[in-house]
Amino acid sequence: METEKLITVTGRGNIHVAPDVTRVEIKICSLFDTYQKAYKCAQANLKDVADVAVECGLDKKLPKTIRFDINKETHNVYDRNDHFDHVEFDGYKLRQHIKVDLGMDNELLAKFINKLGNCLTDFEMEIGHTVRDPRPSQLKMLERAVKDATEKAKIMAQAAGCQLGLVKSIDYTEHEIHIYSQAREIHECPEAMCCDAASLDITPDDLCAGEDVTVTWYLSNAKSAS
């Protein structure tokens, strides 16, 4: 029985899209002597960010927690001969990340960051750009990936003296896409309180992203009439 003649090609679909969201991610890392204190601090941090959002004329539900961990921290203690002696408790470390998506408004961004600097302690901040709805961009990438695979397959088939037949399969692993670009980091409260619209006047470039799709076609030895 004759083996099926197949060609399998992976296409790449790239897009460039203008950002419409400024994302502020607040990263808090603090150490406490009890779990209860760490948990209460996390609750207070989220409330403070929500209160700042309201003061800036935004929805109090706009801040979203994207990471929340409280872990017991320890370290090993060694004797003078560098032999392990015992484990010592350091405390409970809180790691909390809160994101807030704003529009492309530097005045609002500066106001929001200033107020955060006045109410939070021991935090870092990352400012970046993304798109509010990535779905249209993802669909466009998939369309371009399939077209790219088709163009490559046609050229290779013709070079081999074959004709591209029907599609046998299309393989694509769906995953969450990240259309994002980091613009600036703020490392401590004084820096946040010194920010103004001019210092945050960042003109973002178009965001780039891509998707891969693998397509398999049947091949025929018959050459195209063209």
Side-chain angles (χ1 to χ4, degrees), residues 3-71:
T3 304
E4 287 181 334
K5 296 181 178 66
L6 304 172
I7 182 172
T8 300
V9 179
T10 297
R12 180 74 173 173
N14 296 310
I15 58 101
H16 292 76
V17 58
D20 56 8
V21 169
T22 300
R23 174 165 294 170
V24 179
E25 185 175 336
I26 305 115
K27 303 177 181 180
I28 301 165
C29 185
S30 303
L31 193 65
F32 301 87
D33 57 359
T34 69
Y35 183 95
Q36 289 75 15
K37 289 181 180 178
Y39 188 78
K40 286 182 179 179
C41 181
Q43 289 180 310
N45 290 335
L46 186 57
K47 182 180 183 303
D48 286 341
V49 177
D51 289 344
V52 168
V54 172
E55 290 177 28
C56 293
L58 303 169
D59 190 336
K60 68 177 181 180
K61 295 182 179 179
L62 194 61
K64 306 294 183 183
T65 298
I66 56 176
R67 182 180 179 184
F68 175 63
D69 291 322
I70 299 176
N71 293 321

Side-chain angles (χ1 to χ4, degrees), residues 99-113:
K99 76 170 183 178
V100 182
D101 286 346
L102 308 173
M104 305 294 286
D105 184 336
N106 285 334
E107 292 286 347
L108 174 61
L109 178 62
K111 182 179 179 180
F112 183 75
I113 291 175

